[in-house]
Amino acid sequence: MADRRPVVSARLRIIGWMVAVLTLAFAALVVLTWQVLAARADGSADRELTHEANKFRAFAASPAAASFQRPEELLDRWLQSNLPDDSEALFTIVDGKPYHRSQGSPPARLDTDAAFVQRLSGATTPSYGWVDSSAGRVRYGVLPVRIGTQPVRAQLVVLEFRDLIAEPSMAAARALVIVAAITLVLAAGASWLVTGRVLAPIRDLRTTAERISETDLRRRIEVVGNDEVAQLARTFNTMLDRLEGAFTAQREFVDDAGHELRTPITVIRGHLELMGDEPQDRAETTALVLDELSRMNRIVDDLLVLAKSDRPGFLELGEVNLTELVVEVVAKARPLADRAWRVAATADATIVADDQRLTQALMQLVSNAVRHTATSDRIEVGSAVNADGSTLLWVADSGPGVPPEDRERIFERFARGTAAAGQRRTDGAGLGLAIVRSIARAHGGEVRLAPGPGARFELTLPVQEEEQCTGS
Ligand SMILES: Nc1ncnc2c1ncn2[C@@H]1O[C@H](COP(=O)(O)OP(=O)(O)OP(=O)(O)O)[C@@H](O)[C@H]1O
Ligand SMILES: [Mg+2]
């Protein structure tokens, strides 16, 4: 369960962000709509009021109103002939007291509000304002009535209940809020499903990765489609390929090494068990045992070189002069055996490489050449710079060469040529060419067996960057 947490939280994070953004957007939308609708309601309350006031003024100025002696008569006639809307109410004030009110029941009574009436009764000119009531905000207008030159002692009060006027728009706004809330919930639900589907391959990837152990590196992730997740899976699989390759190579290396070392151990053991008490017998056995031990020692050293070869730090790079390299190798090789030694060709060039490793590789080739030639045979070592700028180093001999069926195989670890089957075991472990190859590859190059009479092994080192050659 704890393993699932990171995935779920990624999902929650995505949804959390989405919900937050949507909520903000919806809130802004609702507030804006609300404000626009409220402003509109204010406006229409105003318009209604003006409309009512104008109607009343027109009536008061009409010839029909000229006969009234007292403002009460005029106001009563008006109240009788005028039926207000549901969101409207009218009442009259005479001598500072509420007098009559319009027919029907108003949404809220303001003529009973003594303070309000008191305030309005002082009006001698038309005035307008806002007042709160039990039915919400009210836009009011007070119109004083004057007959002839009498002082003002009566007013008509028009009330527009804004909240009632706004009601249909506000209902729309409320519906908007509900729709927004439902949309939010639906969006959250949908993104829960979508993120689940999107993250599922990643979850699979993780589960597979968890199941893959050192011992079961064969498992791979199923690649579906061609999206980012598929790419991730493919990258992951490639990484597993490399890992598996590395593990297999390591296992084979250990197997091979163990297998090869067992032979000298068995030989030593056999000799020691059969050793008699005779001094001569002892001396012979000791010599044999020492011989086998030094052979083992060589195998272990060679194996260490091979094991180190694909690790960083295997090469100690420096400037290597190709002429000096070849001349020194021939000088070192000459005492090994009586052969016709030749420096075939030398390139007057300096490359960046590991001098010691290159010498080691050439000496391996030279010792093979010595082993497969006789006294009068020719062995040559040479260096050249190819037309494309790459470096060529070679060791060639006039021996019998390598049989075609062995040409590729001999470069493998512990691989000896078929002809070697009849030779003495002490002849070689089959590690020489593998070492040459790993030294070549560590330099970014390759080793190959060139066709021709005799054996000619060529080491090619890649073209070097300009600054590498001239640099430190
Ligand atoms: N110059 C050569 N002429 C003919 N055959 C060769 C020559 N060099 C190598 N070979 C063949 O390639 C095989 C592998 O050579 P490699 O150097 O890897 O092993 P080795 O010489 O047998 O043992 P080691 O080098 O570990 O002592 C040899 O056993 C031999 O059959
Ligand atoms: Mg060899």
Side-chain angles (χ1 to χ4, degrees):
M1 208 50 217
D3 291 335
R4 291 179 64 89
R5 208 175 43 209
V7 174
V8 171
S9 80
R11 214 168 162 188
L12 285 180
R13 255 203 321 276
I14 292 168
I15 294 166
W17 273 106
M18 196 210 64
V19 167
V21 169
L22 275 184
T23 307
L24 245 136
F26 282 149
L29 185 71
V30 165
V31 166
L32 219 76
T33 310
W34 199 276
Q35 275 176 353
V36 168
L37 291 180
R40 264 213 199 156
D42 287 358
S44 49
D46 241 22
R47 272 195 307 283
E48 288 290 324
L49 194 62
T50 320
H51 178 63
E52 284 300 316
N54 289 343
K55 260 176 18 187
F56 178 65
R57 271 201 206 95
F59 168 69
S62 70
S67 57
F68 298 119
Q69 296 303 310
R70 298 186 315 131
E72 290 95 323
E73 293 166 36
L74 181 99
L75 289 173
D76 281 348
R77 171 60 65 81
W78 180 249
L79 285 189
Q80 276 158 21
S81 62
N82 218 341
L83 195 70
D85 285 354
D86 289 347
S87 58
E88 260 173 12
L90 305 170
F91 70 91
T92 54
I93 302 172
V94 174
D95 294 329
K97 300 257 162 7
Y99 184 59
H100 285 145
R101 57 186 177 90
S102 52
Q103 303 150 47
S105 52
R109 293 284 296 273
L110 281 167
D111 54 320
T112 54
D113 183 338
F116 180 61
V117 171
Q118 176 68 37
R119 187 146 56 86
L120 299 192
S121 65
T124 54
T125 53
S127 64
Y128 304 89
W130 286 103
V131 68
D132 284 317
S133 77
S134 59
R137 299 264 292 157
V138 179
R139 181 75 172 148
Y140 70 83
V142 52
L143 307 166
V145 180
R146 186 197 300 270
I147 303 288
T149 52
Q150 292 172 17
V152 174
R153 40 177 284 271
Q155 288 88 5
L156 172 71
V157 181
V158 184
L159 304 170
E160 298 290 344
F161 290 84
R162 192 209 67 156
D163 288 7
L164 293 183
I165 296 171
E167 184 47 35
S169 321
M170 292 302 168
R174 272 195 297 277
L176 185 69
V177 172
I178 293 169
V179 168
I182 292 173
T183 309
L184 207 62
V185 170
L186 287 182
S191 56
W192 178 259
L193 293 180
V194 170
T195 47
R197 295 192 82 169
V198 169
L199 293 175
I202 296 180
R203 202 164 42 227
D204 287 352
L205 201 78
R206 206 205 50 228
T207 328
T208 314
E210 271 169 6
R211 272 204 299 258
I212 292 168
S213 61
E214 239 178 69
T215 45
D216 183 19
L217 278 171
R218 261 162 310 164
R219 212 184 275 272
R220 291 291 179 275
I221 290 157
E222 200 189 333
V223 180
V224 188
N226 200 20
D227 54 7
E228 290 86 343
V229 176
Q231 267 169 359
L232 177 63
R234 225 171 275 132
T235 312
F236 192 82
N237 283 344
T238 317
M239 190 194 74
L240 284 179
D241 289 345
R242 282 202 304 272
L243 262 183
E244 191 188 7
F247 271 109
T248 311
Q250 200 185 41
R251 203 172 303 140
E252 281 171 6
F253 189 92
V254 173
D255 283 354
D256 286 356
H259 187 77
E260 280 310 305
L261 287 173
R262 197 177 298 141
T263 316
I265 290 173
T266 314
V267 172
I268 291 173
R269 194 194 181 97
H271 281 295
L272 288 179
E273 276 173 357
L274 293 176
M275 187 173 67
D277 290 335
E278 300 294 315
Q280 196 198 335
D281 193 9
R282 282 177 168 257
E284 275 172 15
T285 306
T286 307
L288 245 156
V289 164
L290 284 178
D291 193 38
E292 281 302 311
L293 280 177
S294 65
R295 189 179 125 78
M296 276 176 84
N297 205 20
R298 244 195 59 216
I299 293 178
V300 171
D301 284 349
D302 287 352
L303 284 174
L304 281 176
V305 171
L306 284 177
K308 262 191 272 179
S309 68
D310 49 8
R311 271 184 244 156
F314 174 63
L315 296 183
E316 274 177 38
L317 294 179
E319 293 202 341
V320 180
N321 182 283
L322 295 179
T323 307
E324 284 171 23
L325 178 71
V326 169
V327 171
E328 270 167 31
V329 165
V330 172
K332 268 191 194 145
R334 214 179 279 279
L336 289 181
D338 181 15
R339 301 286 185 276
W341 294 99
R342 298 266 187 289
V343 173
T346 57
D348 185 19
T350 301
I351 59 167
V352 174
D354 185 330
D355 191 19
Q356 304 232 328
R357 292 291 179 204
L358 286 185
T359 307
Q360 184 180 15
L362 291 177
M363 288 306 287
Q364 288 285 356
L365 295 177
V366 163
S367 87
N368 281 352
V370 167
R371 189 177 295 157
H372 295 94
T373 48
T375 314
S376 55
D377 280 318
R378 180 180 49 84
I379 299 178
E380 61 170 57
V381 184
S383 67
V385 176
N386 288 327
D388 64 357
S390 57
T391 303
L392 186 67
L393 296 168
W394 72 91
V395 175
D397 66 62
S398 56
V402 181
E405 69 269 21
D406 288 345
R407 298 180 68 88
E408 292 304 321
R409 210 176 53 83
I410 49 171
F411 290 100
E412 281 159 32
R413 196 170 52 224
F414 297 118
R416 275 149 290 206
T418 35
Q423 292 173 337
R424 282 193 16 256
R425 276 228 44 97
T426 45
D427 271 356
L431 291 172
L433 288 177
I435 288 175
V436 176
R437 188 174 62 180
S438 50
I439 290 174
R441 287 187 177 169
H443 280 88
E446 196 44 273
V447 61
R448 67 178 201 111
L449 176 58
R456 179 184 163 97
F457 288 89
E458 294 183 343
L459 233 149
T460 319
L461 304 182
V463 189
Q464 300 193 327
E465 305 278 320
E466 197 52 38
E467 70 260 46
Q468 249 188 325
C469 292
T470 54
S472 57

